[in-house]
Amino acid sequence: MKKKIDVSMVVATHKGINKLPLLVSSLKKNSMLPKEIIICGTNLNDIKLLSKSDIKSLNIKFFISKIKNQIFQRKLALRKITQAFILQLDDDIVMESNFFENLYFHIKDNDKKKITMSLVVIPGLKEQAYRWNLYFRSNLYFRIILKLFNYGKKIKYMSILQSGRICPLLPENFINKKKTLKNLEWTNSLICYHKSALNYSTINYEIKKNEKSYYEDVIFSHNLYLRGFKLQLDPKLKAIHPYFNKLDLQTHLKTIKTQYFIVKKFNKSYLLFILDAMLATIFLIFR
């Protein structure tokens, strides 16, 4: 029997009928497993293709949300957890076979102030933000503009600029490194943290019913960062995200409101935000 660790895995899904089986299949290849998997979906069909034996052996608990929004669904699922640590993720993730073995290394010391992020890669084994990182390293003008939006200060790894822009900067060839990257300002949505962090993560973030939210993982984790939590990224803790979409103008326009919320909530610069939003829009129009 596989060892089960003190982790409640929390998954928000919508129309995940074809995605969840891939996630569950990757879980079963691990030598260690979470003690429970809590899935909050929007329809019973979401788990239609999961076998009864998998649901029982993996201790999968499924709940339905009337609101189709990942923030609301995650909150519902978090109310059901029973374990000390939470691993939250989206439904379109495929984990490597040593994922939970590497995760256990980070939770066995029971550090309640540590938040560990997984390295998410896309097919072809490149980090999810590799295009952004490649452009940052190869384009001098891009680096100058970003530095301007950061009051002239050096761009840090996984940071937020004074304009509210999210910077997914990583060390070069980070995907092949083994050393954990620490002192991050935000994380993606595939993270593990102690349940006590939920006492500090309350934030007045507008939830649009039946619409996708943007940067909710950034807002959640950065709020904890400002409260003294230690955010880190372990490149050995790896998962594949097969549904990667390139940023387009329509998506950018939808994220501007959230970028403004970040500026307002975290006391960034309104002037730099306006300049940032305008330049980014012009760039995407003529790209």
Side-chain angles (χ1 to χ4, degrees):
M1 182 176 292
K2 295 183 179 181
K3 179 177 180 178
K4 292 199 173 184
I5 57 178
D6 299 332
V7 171
S8 294
M9 191 170 116
V10 172
V11 184
T13 185
H14 173 55
K15 295 183 179 179
I17 183 171
N18 295 312
K19 299 174 185 177
L20 289 175
L22 297 176
L23 171 59
V24 169
S25 178
S26 69
L27 280 173
K28 291 162 60 180
K29 295 176 183 178
N30 275 257
S31 59
M32 294 183 178
L33 294 170
K35 283 190 176 177
E36 65 179 2
I37 300 172
I38 302 173
I39 302 175
C40 186
T42 55
N43 193 292
L44 271 175
N45 284 332
D46 289 332
I47 59 168
K48 184 178 180 180
L49 298 183
L50 298 184
S51 69
K52 292 182 179 179
S53 60
D54 283 344
I55 291 174
K56 182 178 180 179
S57 64
L58 295 173
N59 194 20
I60 296 176
K61 304 169 184 177
F62 181 73
F63 301 92
I64 294 178
S65 168
K66 294 181 180 180
I67 297 176
K68 301 171 185 176
N69 177 277
Q70 67 269 39
I71 297 176
F72 188 85
Q73 290 173 238
R74 189 171 290 142
K75 284 184 175 180
L76 284 180
L78 287 170
R79 294 174 191 165
K80 310 294 184 179
I81 64 168
T82 63
Q83 301 304 305
F85 285 88
I86 299 164
L87 175 68
Q88 68 176 47
L89 63 153
D90 298 324
D91 60 356
D92 52 357
I93 289 292
V94 176
M95 296 175 172
E96 289 204 334
S97 59
N98 60 352
F99 186 92
F100 285 97
E101 186 177 346
N102 288 325
L103 183 65
Y104 181 66
F105 173 81
H106 291 288
I107 69 171
K108 63 183 180 181
D109 59 0
N110 199 36
D111 188 343
K112 297 180 180 180
K113 282 287 188 176
K114 184 168 67 176
I115 298 177
T116 304
M117 166 182 162
S118 169
L119 178 65
V120 177
V121 300
I122 58 176
L125 292 181
K126 294 181 179 180
E127 65 266 24
Q128 197 170 32
Y130 84 95
R131 286 191 181 94
W132 193 100
N133 276 270
L134 183 64
Y135 201 65
F136 180 87
R137 296 187 186 104
S138 63
N139 194 300
L140 175 63
Y141 297 109
F142 185 55
R143 295 196 299 273
I144 291 174
I145 290 173
L146 290 181
K147 199 170 182 179
L148 170 67
F149 291 156
N150 203 38
Y151 287 155
K153 297 178 182 178
K154 182 180 178 181
I155 310 300
K156 298 179 181 179
Y157 297 127
M158 300 296 291
S159 61
I160 301 178
L161 303 185
Q162 290 300 314
S163 64
R165 177 155 298 281
I166 311 305
C167 289
L169 180 62
L170 291 173
E172 195 166 2
N173 198 30
F174 184 68
I175 194 171
N176 296 318
K177 297 183 183 298
K178 296 183 178 180
K179 188 176 181 180
T180 298
L181 186 64
K182 300 183 178 181
N183 303 315
L184 312 182
E185 294 185 5
W186 61 274
T187 70
N188 62 23
S189 57
L190 180 44
I191 56 174
C192 182
Y193 54 93
H194 192 271
K195 65 180 180 181
S196 59
L198 296 174
N199 298 327
Y200 304 93
S201 62
T202 302
I203 193 165
N204 186 22
Y205 180 62
E206 180 183 352
I207 298 176
K208 295 182 178 179
K209 295 182 178 181
N210 302 327
E211 286 188 22
K212 177 178 172 60
S213 296
Y214 294 93
Y215 300 151
E216 77 280 359
D217 47 353
V218 175
I219 295 168
F220 172 80
S221 57
H222 189 65
N223 186 53
L224 291 172
Y225 163 78
L226 294 176
R227 291 174 177 267
F229 283 78
K230 299 170 288 186
L231 279 55
Q232 61 181 20
L233 167 57
D234 185 355
K236 300 188 299 299
L237 199 62
K238 199 176 298 179
I240 299 172
H241 187 280
Y243 303 96
F244 176 77
N245 294 317
K246 189 176 180 180
L247 178 67
D248 56 22
L249 178 61
Q250 184 178 5
T251 302
H252 161 69
L253 294 175
K254 291 179 180 179
T255 65
I256 288 178
K257 184 177 180 180
T258 310
Q259 186 177 345
Y260 173 76
F261 177 88
I262 290 172
V263 170
K264 183 179 180 181
K265 174 64 182 178
F266 300 123
N267 299 316
K268 304 294 185 179
S269 169
Y270 290 100
L271 176 59
L272 291 179
F273 159 71
I274 294 172
L275 291 173
D276 185 319
M278 290 176 59
L279 282 177
T281 303
I282 293 172
F283 172 79
L284 287 170
I285 288 175
F286 292 101
R287 184 175 63 179

